[in-house]
Amino acid sequence: VPMVAPGNVQVHVINSTLAKVHWDPVPLKTVRGHLQGYKVYYWKVQSLSRRSRRHVEKKILTFRGNKTFGMLPGLEPYSSYKLNVRVVNGKGEGPASPDKVFKTPEGVPSSPSFLKITNPTLDSLTLEWGSPTHPNGVLTSYTLKFQPINNTHELGPLVEIRIPANESSLILKNLNYSTRYKFYFNAQTSVGSGSQITEEAVTIMDE
């Protein structure tokens, strides 16, 4: 098997889900056989936004031939990773380079995990929601947009409300009685808005 590990391993984080790794080629005489390529082992050490699960899944990407760089796609935003690089010949893999640590930046969150609308009165509705399963960063706020829908499915004026990130319920007041409303709800990190969840609910006709 090859005798030495690739040296001078460098990681360039391109965005929240993609990184590029560079290494110096090993001297050909240390390959001790036919150089098939380089293998990059990488794994997530922890999510920076929540306690991570204990199970660590190592991923391996093989770059054929005398390559000196490779791309690592499909990373999780706002996470800490480690990687190492090994050279491969027909017999097997050489020793691993020292582990290199890198961190991915924040991304936009997934949609809130649920939106539930309860307690309809003549002029109010109560909203409850769950935080995104994948915050992909530090949540800064939620945005709620809503508008009335009439019997011919025409949409009325859109109202927008910013809600602090630490809240999980809201009572909407001063609504019209016996009116259907459509709600659009999403979360934000400093990078931007995540995908939205939609729901409809009706205020009651009379007490």
Side-chain angles (χ1 to χ4, degrees), residues 8 13-14 22 44 52 55 73 100 108 117 159 181 196 203:
N8 193 27
V13 176
I14 294 168
H22 291 261
K44 187 170 123 176
S52 57
H55 171 66
K100 194 96 183 161
V108 298
I117 303 166
V159 178
Y181 286 90
Q196 65 185 14
T203 52

Side-chain angles (χ1 to χ4, degrees), residues 56-151:
V56 173
E57 183 194 350
K58 287 200 174 179
K59 296 184 176 171
I60 306 167
L61 280 177
T62 303
F63 300 97
R64 305 229 164 258
N66 205 7
K67 282 263 180 69
T68 57
F69 71 91
M71 306 299 272
L72 306 181
L75 303 173
E76 290 184 30
Y78 205 48
S79 297
S80 175
Y81 280 85
K82 281 185 180 177
L83 66 74
N84 60 55
V85 186
R86 310 163 200 219
V87 65
V88 184
N89 67 11
K91 176 81 173 171
E93 298 172 10
S97 64
D99 288 352
K100 194 96 183 161
V101 176
F102 66 98
K103 291 181 169 71
T104 52
E106 292 188 61
V108 298
S110 61
S111 61
S113 53
F114 69 87
L115 175 62
K116 203 164 71 183
I117 303 166
T118 57
N119 300 345
T121 71
L122 280 173
D123 66 348
S124 77
L125 292 165
T126 300
L127 280 69
E128 295 171 13
W129 59 86
S131 56
T133 312
H134 301 286
N136 295 333
V138 177
L139 293 186
T140 54
S141 62
Y142 292 100
T143 299
L144 172 70
K145 297 177 186 172
F146 66 95
Q147 59 194 149
I149 312 174
N150 69 14
N151 294 338

